[in-house]
Amino acid sequence: MKNISIHVPNETNTLKSLILGLPDDFGGTPLIQDCYDPQSRFHVRNNSFPKQGDVTKEMDELLQVFHKYHIKVYRPNNIIGLNQVFARDIGFVIGNHFVVANVIEDRKDEVPAINSITEKMNPDQLLKLPKGAYVEGGDVIIYNKYVFVGVSNQDDCQKFQVARTNYKGFNYLKEKFSHLHFFAFELNKSDTIPEDNSLHLDCCFQPIGEDKAIISPNGFRNKNDVDELIKLFGNENVLLVTSKEMSNMYTNVFSISKNVIISDPRFIRLNDWLEKNGFTVEKVAYNEISKMGGLFRCSTLPLLRE
């Protein structure tokens, strides 16, 4: 029975349903050679990689916030020993279509774990990326008629493990959603230094509310892209964050609606700015999960917004 409705026009309309990642059975501390982002490498080396119980506790607290706002939550099928915390990247909704992502080899087993959800959608609304076209959901940000995509050029895709979206993937989306305006932003990449790496676009940029945005200029390769974003939103509507704040995931908050945002209590400067601008901030401690290279937006895959 096809009974799951999908529609995502932007990042901030009132959320009705989503897929939330799974915290259980993520496999414990990986070997250093099995890490595929600089945050994880750093914490493995420093013996500070998160423990299973802490990851489960943090994600359960996030789940309670979604229950508070009466949001329907779907979960992937659990695969023992596989990290399934970051559901954002394995698929994403643009308008009325669900795009099944092509992800790096290390994460390919995460994708079939949501088949039990996608098979309840209208098959005409499912899109699969062609071979060689790579896009992960963290690189795709929708702002009404605009779609911003974090990309890596061919050289970076060959050089960096953290290069996740290529121009072939970008061009496929641009062609499929030709009624929308697409923008490609090349991001700074580093496999080893968290402050020099923007793993996905949502690690350095996110629209919030009606007309505001959080931007980390150091995540972008080209200054002109930052200037264009600031011009689009207006100086008075933008919070600029530093490289250190970017590596702590300041931009990776999550909007339940135009007025309600989930953030981490550690983000004092950000939370003060949000509250001064009239947002309700639901604070959820996510420090341990952040050690794996993602935060709230990374853990969530919205299916239906008003």
Side-chain angles (χ1 to χ4, degrees), residues 184-185 217 220-231:
F185 297 143
F220 294 81
R221 174 165 286 179
N222 301 311
K223 183 180 180 296
N224 286 343
D225 292 340
V226 178
D227 293 341
E228 286 300 312
L229 283 174
I230 293 173
K231 183 178 177 182

Side-chain angles (χ1 to χ4, degrees), residues 52 86 96 113:
Q52 179 68 70
F86 299 129
N96 297 318

Side-chain angles (χ1 to χ4, degrees), residues 51 79 84 96 151 240 245 279 299:
K51 302 289 191 291
I79 300 174
Q84 295 174 269
N96 297 318
V151 296
L240 298 179
E245 290 171 334
F279 292 99
S299 299

Side-chain angles (χ1 to χ4, degrees), residues 87-191:
R88 170 71 59 167
D89 299 319
I90 57 178
F92 50 93
V93 179
I94 299 178
N96 297 318
H97 286 85
F98 187 101
V99 182
V100 180
N102 278 348
V103 297
I104 60 172
E105 187 70 16
D106 297 281
R107 300 190 62 185
K108 64 179 176 55
D109 292 338
E110 294 177 55
V111 179
I114 60 169
N115 285 351
S116 60
I117 301 169
T118 57
E119 68 188 12
K120 294 176 183 174
M121 300 174 186
N122 183 335
D124 293 337
Q125 293 179 284
L126 295 177
L127 295 176
K128 189 157 187 182
L129 289 159
K131 187 175 181 180
Y134 291 94
V135 183
E136 292 190 353
D139 274 324
V140 180
I141 291 179
I142 311 164
Y143 183 62
N144 304 317
K145 65 180 179 180
Y146 302 109
V147 181
F148 306 109
V149 183
V151 296
S152 294
N153 59 40
Q154 187 172 355
D155 288 345
D156 280 359
C157 286
Q158 293 174 346
K159 182 178 179 182
F160 294 109
Q161 204 172 14
V162 291
R164 304 296 177 79
T165 297
N166 62 11
Y167 275 101
K168 186 172 181 180
F170 170 81
N171 289 328
Y172 171 83
L173 295 178
K174 186 177 179 181
E175 180 182 326
K176 284 292 181 182
F177 299 95
S178 57
H179 61 292
L180 299 172
H181 301 286
F182 275 75
F183 296 87
F185 297 143
E186 289 193 11
L187 306 177
N188 286 325
K189 298 292 181 178
S190 172
D191 284 332

Side-chain angles (χ1 to χ4, degrees), residues 270-289:
L270 170 63
N271 295 339
D272 286 348
W273 183 82
L274 291 172
E275 288 168 350
K276 285 174 183 174
N277 279 279
F279 292 99
T280 297
V281 181
E282 292 284 354
K283 298 181 179 74
V284 177
Y286 229 54
N287 182 54
E288 294 303 309
I289 288 175

Side-chain angles (χ1 to χ4, degrees), residues 2 16 90 137 161 164 179 213 220 236 258 269 296:
K2 311 299 182 186
K16 296 298 183 182
I90 57 178
Q161 204 172 14
R164 304 296 177 79
H179 61 292
F220 294 81
E236 69 283 2
K258 292 189 186 299
R269 188 171 81 89
F296 302 114

Side-chain angles (χ1 to χ4, degrees), residues 25-55:
D25 302 321
F26 76 83
T29 303
L31 297 173
I32 194 74
Q33 63 265 30
D34 293 334
C35 295
Y36 41 84
D37 72 275
Q39 286 279 12
S40 294
R41 283 192 181 92
F42 174 85
H43 288 289
V44 169
R45 282 199 181 98
N46 287 274
N47 296 313
S48 53
F49 200 80
K51 302 289 191 291
Q52 179 68 70
D54 295 328
V55 171

